[in-house]
Amino acid sequence: MAAAISHEQLIALANEFGTPLYVYHADRIQEQYHKLLSAFEGADVRFFYAAKALTNINILRYIKETGCQVDCSSVNEAKLALHAGFAPEHILYTSNNVSFDEICEAQSLGIHINIDSLSNLRKFGQKFGHAYPVGIRLRPNIMAGGNLKISTGHADSKFGIPLENLQEVLELVKETNLFIRTLHIHTGSEIKDVDIFIKGLDVLFDLVPRFPELEVIDLGGGFKVPYQPGEEGTDIPALGKKIKEAFTVFREKTGRHLQVWFEPGKYMVSECGYFITKVNVLKPAVNAVFAGVDSGLNHLIRPMFYGSYHVIENISNPQGAPRVYNVVGNICETDTFAENRTLPEVREGDYLVFLNAGAYCFEMSSHYNSRFKPAEVLVKDGNAKLIRKRDELSDLLRGQME
Ligand SMILES: *Cc1c(COP(=O)(O)O)cnc(C)c1O
């Protein structure tokens, strides 16, 4: 495993670039990708990094260098991917509830498209007929994922075309002569249970006979990585083994060879990220002490948005006596990062680091309270490079008409 970035290095980076600061460890990203490749060795598989987890152009370029492809949630992400140098055929666009205009724009870029509504599928068929192969995002009615907010494949989810609409899909495919190349599902995030993927795969395998031109089964992303101490992520080698077996059996039974695609986001970049904050003030709380840091839900909203847990380390005083803290932000909202968290004694001025801060962290940041977004640094082969400068006042005024 790539050695983690040491406390000393993190402190040096915080001193050099200031806080709050996002630090990403490139070697760790490559390592994750290689774990996927080795688990799926021998399979006809493609991985598309779900760019929405972290879109800094330097990260996208690095991911491209590793050989991984890219999955986009918006046409703008697709344009960023092109800007980063990805070839159109290595870009996948899996949208939800977008306008038909945006889908046409994606089509004009020459990228792979998964469509997630009957109405857009119909319009696509009417406009492009058989000329442009396309994927269908289905809602498989499977409950999966770390919590309801990050579950996307269940029967009450807004994502995908419900399986119940299969007949309508088949009719309009016939009517408009659509070329259905891909069947896609993405059932949620933080799916630990390997069998959930197999269950989804079985749903899609059952549909294959209805789509004679099908070439690809796209099982989406959602691999779990450990966030809490002692937690385990998705068993990727076991997943690789089971998926390979399932495809082999399917080919032997039906004579049809299909490629399998995945769209990992968190798995690729969660663990590469460190978010360094500085403690501004300490205050008494009822059963703990508030440690108020120089950040808040404007920079890292996952704990407040869906109760996510991030390990926090006091890198300035790692040997301090353990005490209990509520780690909170400086935004005029109740922005609690962690409650009743035992940390080595925290002093004003200490650096607190949040782990697993690569995926959906900077990416969900905002200018709320007119605070600046943090700087971002990429560490590669031991060298640190500033990949986004800290905001300044002009960034808050940009676009406003005076
Ligand atoms: C967000 C998303 C992913 C990535 O999910 P992770 O949990 O980060 O792996 C993959 N595919 C689609 C369609 C998504 O929306």
Side-chain angles (χ1 to χ4, degrees), residues 50 52-53 71 73 94 137 184 186 188-190 220-223 263-267 360:
K52 72 175 189 286
D71 175 49
S73 304
T94 305
R137 178 173 189 171
H184 167 280
H186 169 69
S189 195
E190 304 189 13
F223 305 150
E263 305 158 355
K266 258 176 208 165
Y267 187 79
Y360 309 107

Coordinates of all heavy atoms in Angstrom, one line a residue, residues 50 52-53 71 73 94 137 184 186 188-190 220-223 263-267 360, ligand 1:
A50 N -16.3 8.1 -11.6 CA -17.4 9.0 -11.5 C -16.9 10.4 -11.0 O -16.6 10.7 -9.9 CB -18.4 8.5 -10.5
K52 N -17.9 13.2 -10.5 CA -18.6 14.2 -9.6 C -18.0 14.1 -8.2 O -18.2 15.0 -7.4 CB -20.1 14.0 -9.6 CG -20.5 12.7 -8.9 CD -22.1 12.7 -8.8 CE -22.6 11.6 -7.9 NZ -22.5 10.3 -8.6
A53 N -17.3 13.0 -7.9 CA -16.6 12.9 -6.6 C -15.6 14.0 -6.4 O -15.4 14.5 -5.3 CB -16.0 11.5 -6.4
D71 N -16.8 8.9 -16.0 CA -18.3 9.0 -16.0 C -18.7 10.3 -15.5 O -18.2 10.8 -14.5 CB -18.9 7.9 -15.1 CG -20.4 8.0 -15.0 OD1 -21.0 8.1 -16.0 OD2 -20.9 8.0 -13.9
S73 N -21.8 13.3 -14.7 CA -23.2 13.5 -14.3 C -23.8 14.7 -15.0 O -25.0 15.0 -14.8 CB -23.3 13.8 -12.8 OG -22.7 12.7 -12.1
T94 N -23.9 9.8 -17.6 CA -25.1 9.2 -17.0 C -25.8 10.3 -16.2 O -25.4 10.6 -15.1 CB -24.6 8.1 -16.1 OG1 -23.8 7.1 -16.8 CG2 -25.9 7.3 -15.5
R137 N -30.7 3.7 -18.5 CA -30.5 3.6 -17.1 C -31.8 3.1 -16.5 O -32.9 3.8 -16.6 CB -30.2 4.9 -16.4 CG -30.1 4.8 -14.9 CD -29.6 6.1 -14.3 NE -29.3 5.8 -12.9 CZ -28.7 6.6 -12.0 NH1 -28.3 7.8 -12.5 NH2 -28.5 6.3 -10.8
H184 N -27.9 -0.1 -18.0 CA -27.2 0.5 -16.8 C -28.0 0.5 -15.6 O -29.2 0.8 -15.6 CB -26.8 1.9 -17.2 CG -26.3 2.8 -16.0 ND1 -27.2 3.3 -15.1 CD2 -25.1 3.1 -15.6 CE1 -26.5 4.0 -14.2 NE2 -25.2 3.9 -14.4
H186 N -27.4 1.8 -11.3 CA -26.5 2.3 -10.2 C -27.4 2.4 -9.0 O -28.2 3.2 -8.9 CB -25.9 3.7 -10.6 CG -25.2 4.4 -9.4 ND1 -24.0 3.9 -8.9 CD2 -25.6 5.5 -8.7 CE1 -23.7 4.7 -7.9 NE2 -24.6 5.6 -7.8
G188 N -26.7 2.7 -5.7 CA -26.5 3.5 -4.5 C -25.0 3.6 -4.2 O -24.2 3.2 -5.0
S189 N -24.7 4.3 -3.1 CA -23.3 4.5 -2.7 C -23.1 3.7 -1.4 O -24.0 3.5 -0.6 CB -23.0 5.9 -2.6 OG -21.7 6.2 -2.5
E190 N -21.8 3.3 -1.2 CA -21.4 2.6 0.0 C -22.1 1.2 0.1 O -22.7 0.9 1.1 CB -21.6 3.4 1.2 CG -20.9 4.8 1.1 CD -20.8 5.6 2.4 OE1 -21.2 5.1 3.4 OE2 -20.5 6.8 2.3
G220 N -22.7 0.5 -12.7 CA -22.6 1.7 -11.9 C -21.4 1.7 -10.9 O -20.5 0.9 -11.1
G221 N -21.6 2.5 -9.9 CA -20.5 2.6 -8.9 C -21.0 2.1 -7.6 O -21.9 1.2 -7.5
G222 N -20.6 2.8 -6.5 CA -21.1 2.5 -5.2 C -20.3 1.6 -4.3 O -20.8 1.1 -3.3
F223 N -19.0 1.3 -4.7 CA -18.2 0.4 -3.9 C -17.9 1.2 -2.5 O -17.6 2.4 -2.6 CB -16.8 0.1 -4.5 CG -16.9 -0.5 -5.9 CD1 -16.0 -0.3 -6.8 CD2 -18.0 -1.3 -6.2 CE1 -16.0 -0.9 -8.1 CE2 -18.1 -1.9 -7.5 CZ -17.1 -1.6 -8.4
E263 N -18.6 2.3 -12.5 CA -18.4 3.8 -12.4 C -18.0 4.1 -11.0 O -18.8 4.7 -10.3 CB -19.7 4.5 -12.8 CG -20.2 4.1 -14.2 CD -21.7 4.4 -14.3 OE1 -22.4 4.8 -13.3 OE2 -22.2 4.3 -15.4
P264 N -16.8 3.7 -10.5 CA -16.5 4.0 -9.1 C -16.1 5.5 -8.9 O -15.3 6.0 -9.7 CB -15.2 3.1 -8.9 CG -14.6 2.9 -10.3 CD -15.8 3.0 -11.2
G265 N -16.7 6.1 -7.9 CA -16.3 7.4 -7.5 C -15.5 7.4 -6.2 O -14.3 7.6 -6.2
K266 N -16.3 7.2 -5.1 CA -15.7 7.1 -3.8 C -14.5 6.2 -3.7 O -13.4 6.5 -3.1 CB -16.7 6.6 -2.8 CG -17.3 7.6 -1.9 CD -18.4 7.1 -1.0 CE -19.3 8.2 -0.8 NZ -20.6 7.8 -0.2
Y267 N -14.6 5.0 -4.3 CA -13.6 4.0 -4.3 C -12.3 4.6 -4.8 O -11.2 4.3 -4.3 CB -14.0 2.7 -5.0 CG -13.0 1.6 -4.9 CD1 -13.0 0.8 -3.7 CD2 -12.0 1.4 -5.8 CE1 -12.1 -0.2 -3.5 CE2 -11.1 0.4 -5.6 CZ -11.1 -0.4 -4.5 OH -10.2 -1.4 -4.3
Y360 N -16.6 13.8 -2.7 CA -17.8 14.6 -2.3 C -17.5 15.5 -1.2 O -18.3 15.8 -0.3 CB -18.9 13.6 -2.0 CG -19.2 12.6 -3.0 CD1 -18.8 11.3 -2.9 CD2 -19.7 13.0 -4.3 CE1 -19.0 10.3 -3.9 CE2 -20.0 12.0 -5.3 CZ -19.6 10.7 -5.1 OH -19.8 9.8 -6.0
Ligands
LIG1 C1 -22.5 9.1 -8.2 C2 -22.5 8.1 -9.2 C3 -21.5 7.1 -9.2 C4 -20.4 7.0 -8.2 O1 -20.9 6.5 -7.0 P1 -19.8 6.2 -5.8 O2 -20.6 5.8 -4.7 O3 -19.0 7.4 -5.6 O4 -18.9 5.1 -6.3 C5 -21.5 6.2 -10.3 N1 -22.5 6.2 -11.2 C6 -23.5 7.2 -11.2 C7 -24.5 7.2 -12.3 C8 -23.5 8.1 -10.2 O5 -24.5 9.0 -10.2

